[in-house]
């Protein structure tokens, strides 16, 4: 009887550095909660790495997004432009503020928010009055743009920021998936008003769970830190001057993060090498395209994602799963989820076309060359047989 091959996971943590020693340090010292030297170090090192002046650690990436939106002035009844092709977290964060997402279409190469469509929406569907930028259809005001660097591939940020500046809109970069990715030589998370990161277990580095806001704007950084600590204006006097949140990262999680960040450069190198091998091998299969970086970008290749004929997506996924290869379809489009189906959508034709073609394939740091060759061989076998 043939034995089943061990699972090739999609994206799992690689804990190969100082994780044990830094965790032990927390336990030995008793500094386990939301204050401690690892939190300070993690904030400092992430902001240094990304290239911003400030870093504010949070309990997860969703909390980072929520606080960023609040600090950028997003209020109940406002609107925020966001792609429909994204994990749900940024859209939920908009709703936590009582605001409404407006879904603008993505382009089909990197599957990122299409800057051209954002411009068209702002120019044609909105009007400026004394209160701000008003959406003609809904009568509500647009207060921010929230692009997502999907699968680690950077959005065309300088074009987007130029458009946002014209309308004085803050831009909140969701860089949850793109730590280490670069846009024209600058790291994602340092390209707009604020950047938000996630250190969930499936990300390129992990704290178990965790997040970070990065920014160069001191008042925003101060406000976000304030909101993350129950908006306590006078520590130990229990003076809270607005509704705050308990969103701080613990020292234990930050200790993991510091150890992981020390290994990030080597993770990036491995992930690029793996993506290049996938690309080279997949070039032999005409039915398959691998989503790739733009010439002006350097992706962290967080999740390698295939584009295959729509009719083959489900059967190919089933076949790969039967071979113990973990794969994922793309996220359901946001405007099709019940809580967001009434929200406005703009030019989603390419988004809707591309969504049905995506399969994310194993992309962990510890993926071996032999496993990559096996994944591609299975894809080839599927197309040979179909
Ligand atoms: C694009 C994107 N935004 C936000 C998040 C939320 O991060 P977290 O899970 O740390 O809350 C994630 C991932 O989980 C994500 O992929």
């Amino acid at each position: 009887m043939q034995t089943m091959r061990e699972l090739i996971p999609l994206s799992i943590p690689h804990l190969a550095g100082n994780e044990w020693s830094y965790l032990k340090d927390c336990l030995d010292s008793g500094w386990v909660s939301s204050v401690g030297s690892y939190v300070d170090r993690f904030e400092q090192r992430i902001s240094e790495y990304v290239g911003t002046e400030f870093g504010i650690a949070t309990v997860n990436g969703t909390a980072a997004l929520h606080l960023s939106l609040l600090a950028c002035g997003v209020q109940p009844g406002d609107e925020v432009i966001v792609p429909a092709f994204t994990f749900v977290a940024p859209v939920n964060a908009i709703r936590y503020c009582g605001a409404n997402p407006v879904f603008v279409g993505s382009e089909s190469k990197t599957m990122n928010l299409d800057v051209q469509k954002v411009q068209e929406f702002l120019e044609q569907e909105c009007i400026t009055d004394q209160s701000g930028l008003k959406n003609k259809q809904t009568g509500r005001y647009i207060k921010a743009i929230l692009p997502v660097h999907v699968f680690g591939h950077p959005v065309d940020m300088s074009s987007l920021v130029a458009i946002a500046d014209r309308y004085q809109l803050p831009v909140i970069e969701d860089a949850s998936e793109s730590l280490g990715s670069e846009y024209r030589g600058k790291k994602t998370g340092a390209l707009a008003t604020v950047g938000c990161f996630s250190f969930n277990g499936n990300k390129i580095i992990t704290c178990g769970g965790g997040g970070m806001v990065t920014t160069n704007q001191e008042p925003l950084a101060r406000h976000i830190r304030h909101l993350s600590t129950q908006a306590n204006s006078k520590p130990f006097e229990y003076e809270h001057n607005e509704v705050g949140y308990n969103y701080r990262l613990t020292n234990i999680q930050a200790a993991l993060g510091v150890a992981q960040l020390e290994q990030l450069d080597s993770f990036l190198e491995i992930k690029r090498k793996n993506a290049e091998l996938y690309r080279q091998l997949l070039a032999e299969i005409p039915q398959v395209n691998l989503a790739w970086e733009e010439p002006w970008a350097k992706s962290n290749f967080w999740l390698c994602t295939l584009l295959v004929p729509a009719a083959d997506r489900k059967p190919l996924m089933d076949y790969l799963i039967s071979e113990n290869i973990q794969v994922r379809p793309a996220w359901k489009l946001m405007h099709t989820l019940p809580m967001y189906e009434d929200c406005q959508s703009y030019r989603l034709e390419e988004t809707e076309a591309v969504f049905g073609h995506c399969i994310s394939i194993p992309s962990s740091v510890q993926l071996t060359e032999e496993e990559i060759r096996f994944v591609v061989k299975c894809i080839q076998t599927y197309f040979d047989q179909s």
Side-chain angles (χ1 to χ4, degrees):
M1 199 178 73
Q2 213 185 344
T3 51
M4 192 70 170
R5 206 191 151 88
E6 247 188 65
L7 178 78
I8 306 179
L10 187 75
S11 181
I12 55 169
H14 188 57
L15 306 161
N18 287 317
E19 288 85 352
W20 273 112
S21 123
Y22 294 170
L23 278 178
K24 183 168 184 315
D25 192 23
C26 291
L27 299 179
D28 288 347
S29 66
W31 288 93
V32 294
S33 196
S34 55
V35 178
S37 65
Y38 285 104
V39 176
D40 298 340
R41 236 185 291 177
F42 193 45
E43 289 180 335
Q44 193 191 338
R45 292 197 184 164
I46 286 282
S47 55
E48 262 172 29
Y49 178 82
V50 168
T52 57
E53 217 168 313
F54 306 100
I56 306 99
T58 56
V59 69
N60 54 47
T62 313
L65 287 161
H66 183 195
L67 295 186
S68 298
L69 286 159
L70 289 172
C72 284
V74 173
Q75 293 185 351
D78 289 340
E79 291 187 339
V80 178
I81 291 175
V82 67
F85 189 82
T86 173
F87 180 58
V88 71
V91 182
N92 282 338
I94 293 167
R95 227 346 114 70
Y96 298 166
C97 300
N100 302 287
V102 175
F103 301 116
V104 173
S106 300
E107 40 84 14
S108 49
K109 186 168 176 213
T110 62
M111 296 167 268
N112 274 321
L113 184 64
D114 187 335
V115 176
Q116 210 49 46
K117 294 190 180 90
V118 173
Q119 176 168 2
E120 211 181 274
F121 175 78
L122 294 175
E123 281 174 359
Q124 294 176 15
E125 305 297 322
C126 301
I127 184 166
T128 303
D129 70 13
Q130 69 281 8
S131 305
L133 185 65
K134 189 170 169 176
N135 181 338
K136 289 193 258 183
Q137 183 174 316
T138 62
R140 297 191 282 244
Y141 289 89
I142 310 282
K143 287 298 177 59
I145 306 178
L146 200 169
V148 181
H149 303 298
V150 168
F151 301 135
H153 297 294
V155 174
D156 181 6
M157 285 301 293
S158 57
S159 312
L160 185 66
V161 169
I163 295 162
D165 284 351
R166 216 178 302 152
Y167 294 96
Q168 296 177 325
L169 293 173
V171 176
I172 296 154
E173 265 183 272
D174 186 344
S176 295
E177 300 174 1
S178 68
L179 180 67
S181 298
E182 291 176 18
Y183 172 78
R184 300 188 193 279
K186 270 185 94 176
K187 296 272 186 337
T188 58
L191 302 164
T193 318
V194 293
C196 297
F197 291 94
S198 163
F199 307 111
N200 183 28
N202 65 354
K203 297 300 185 294
I204 189 161
I205 67 166
T206 185
C207 300
M212 185 82 67
V213 180
T214 50
T215 182
N216 284 316
Q217 299 191 20
E218 203 267 338
L220 272 181
R222 202 168 355 102
H223 193 196
I224 289 168
R225 188 177 295 283
H226 182 63
L227 289 172
S228 75
T229 48
Q230 301 284 22
N232 192 352
S233 58
K234 279 196 190 156
F236 311 118
E237 289 182 36
Y238 303 105
E239 200 83 64
H240 306 273
N241 59 359
E242 61 183 309
V243 175
Y245 302 83
N246 179 13
Y247 276 178
R248 294 290 288 153
L249 191 72
T250 67
N251 207 41
I252 288 183
Q253 290 166 306
L256 269 183
V258 172
Q260 286 268 284
L261 186 57
E262 289 168 353
Q263 301 161 78
L264 178 59
D265 285 343
S266 71
F267 291 179
L268 286 166
E269 214 175 292
I270 293 168
K271 285 175 85 79
R272 173 163 293 272
K273 200 168 95 278
N274 289 347
E276 277 167 358
L277 181 59
Y278 266 135
R279 179 144 112 136
Q280 180 200 324
L281 299 173
L282 288 165
E284 304 297 318
I285 311 176
Q287 297 92 333
V288 176
N289 270 313
L290 181 65
W292 202 253
E293 62 197 1
E294 294 282 6
W296 34 257
K298 205 166 165 195
S299 177
N300 68 356
F301 290 105
W302 171 59
L303 262 195
C304 287
T305 298
L306 306 178
L307 292 164
V308 302
D312 290 306
R313 187 183 67 146
K314 176 80 169 72
L316 173 57
M317 281 184 52
D318 290 344
Y319 178 66
L320 294 174
I321 291 164
S322 77
E323 291 291 341
N324 233 4
I325 298 169
Q326 202 172 46
V327 292
R328 290 276 184 277
W331 312 284
K332 288 251 159 62
L333 297 176
M334 293 301 107
H335 68 294
T336 66
L337 301 180
M339 60 287 194
Y340 299 123
E341 65 190 4
D342 294 335
C343 297
Q344 189 183 5
S345 296
Y346 183 75
R347 302 256 341 252
L348 298 188
E349 63 281 357
E350 275 170 86
T351 314
E352 279 171 342
V354 96
F355 147 81
H357 297 261
C358 294
I359 303 178
S360 294
I361 55 175
S363 306
S364 308
V365 168
Q366 54 273 67
L367 194 66
T368 64
E369 180 176 337
E370 192 266 325
E371 286 172 325
I372 292 173
R373 288 183 184 279
F374 179 71
V375 171
V376 176
K377 189 177 119 251
C378 289
I379 297 169
Q380 179 76 69
T381 306
Y382 166 84
F383 282 109
D384 288 347
Q385 289 171 357
S386 60

